[in-house]
Amino acid sequence: AGRDLATFRLYMQNLFGMDDFQLYPSKLWQMEDGPTKNDLEKIFDPHQGVIRNRVISSNKYSNIDFVDITVFYSGLGYWISGKPHLIPRDGKTLDSLSYADLEQILMNLSRLSVLENINSITIYLDIKYINFREAKKDYKYPELSKKLCILASSSASETSQESEEMKHSVFSYFLMKGLKGDAIGDDKILEIGELAE
């Protein structure tokens, strides 16, 4: 997960020209071992969270009319009562309350998307579910804003796979290849459908 994060960050900087202040965390060492549950709550809070504050300040101080938000998560997950959860850095094996509810994070992003200057929110989920066989096969994400797009490494009752040869998960490896240009069609515009293919 750490390697996926560091590489994805380099792609955002080198392919899309993003500066440290446009990324969160701003410096890689700030969340080196991954986010805590409290970090996830602070980032995605739709009322006073990090993303909301950055969107508002980009409009107010940088005169940026519209922003596109990209969320990349590579890490462990766990199914609890048929719902997906993320295992944060401080998650405890025997304490499911220490896990972060993925549906809640997505609903918070959906609530956040009502801000007029948010153009889109793209979410890449590379989750290795420890107990993927306990997921409901017919699980569907909650109804979300049309501004949100989720590209996940696996559907319910599946899990992300790692590859020693690729030195990444299979999903992250091909996602980054696609972002680099392998998924761009004849029109030279990268679309989420091309990445998914």
Side-chain angles (χ1 to χ4, degrees):
R3 181 189 215 81
D4 291 347
L5 171 64
T7 307
F8 190 82
R9 186 183 180 87
L10 284 173
Y11 272 64
M12 293 293 105
Q13 291 172 324
N14 296 333
L15 291 176
F16 300 106
M18 298 181 88
D19 293 319
D20 281 344
F21 74 90
Q22 294 173 297
L23 299 167
Y24 189 82
S26 296
K27 299 290 182 191
L28 193 56
W29 54 264
Q30 290 172 319
M31 243 182 253
E32 191 172 24
D33 295 327
T36 63
K37 184 176 181 185
N38 190 44
D39 289 334
L40 292 171
E41 289 170 355
K42 282 196 295 191
I43 293 166
F44 297 108
D45 181 332
H47 307 293
Q48 298 177 359
V50 171
I51 295 176
R52 180 187 177 90
N53 291 339
R54 285 181 171 226
V55 167
I56 290 171
S57 66
S58 70
N59 181 258
K60 190 173 185 179
Y61 301 112
S62 302
N63 295 321
I64 295 172
D65 293 330
F66 294 99
V67 294
D68 292 295
I69 298 168
T70 300
V71 176
F72 176 75
Y73 178 84
S74 177
L76 296 175
Y78 201 83
W79 289 90
I80 302 170
S81 302
K83 295 190 176 188
H85 289 71
L86 307 179
I87 302 177
R89 181 178 72 213
D90 58 347
K92 295 172 181 59
T93 308
L94 299 175
D95 182 8
S96 60
L97 294 176
S98 67
Y99 298 166
D101 185 334
L102 179 58
E103 284 189 359
Q104 184 63 52
I105 289 171
L106 296 175
M107 292 303 295
N108 284 346
L109 285 169
S110 194
R111 288 183 190 101
L112 188 63
S113 73
V114 301
L115 294 175
E116 290 181 9
N117 57 330
I118 292 180
N119 188 45
S120 69
I121 302 175
T122 305
I123 305 156
Y124 300 110
L125 297 174
D126 191 355
I127 304 171
K128 184 171 186 176
Y129 287 103
I130 294 171
N131 64 338
F132 63 94
R133 288 185 178 89
E134 294 178 31
K136 291 181 181 174
K137 291 187 188 223
D138 59 347
Y139 173 81
K140 290 184 175 33
Y141 290 113
E143 191 166 326
L144 303 167
S145 163
K146 301 254 186 269
K147 289 184 180 182
L148 268 71
C149 179
I150 301 170
L151 194 56
S153 62
S154 55
S155 58
S157 74
E158 296 178 336
T159 191
S160 181
Q161 298 295 316
E162 297 172 16
S163 168
E164 284 295 321
E165 184 182 325
M166 296 175 185
K167 307 250 188 280
H168 290 284
S169 75
V170 175
F171 176 83
S172 288
Y173 178 82
F174 284 105
L175 169 65
M176 289 182 255
K177 271 187 74 121
L179 289 171
K180 189 173 74 175
D182 288 14
I184 296 176
D186 296 334
D187 59 2
K188 303 294 182 207
I189 297 171
L190 180 62
E191 296 175 359
I192 198 77
E194 293 169 328
L195 267 181
E197 282 183 35

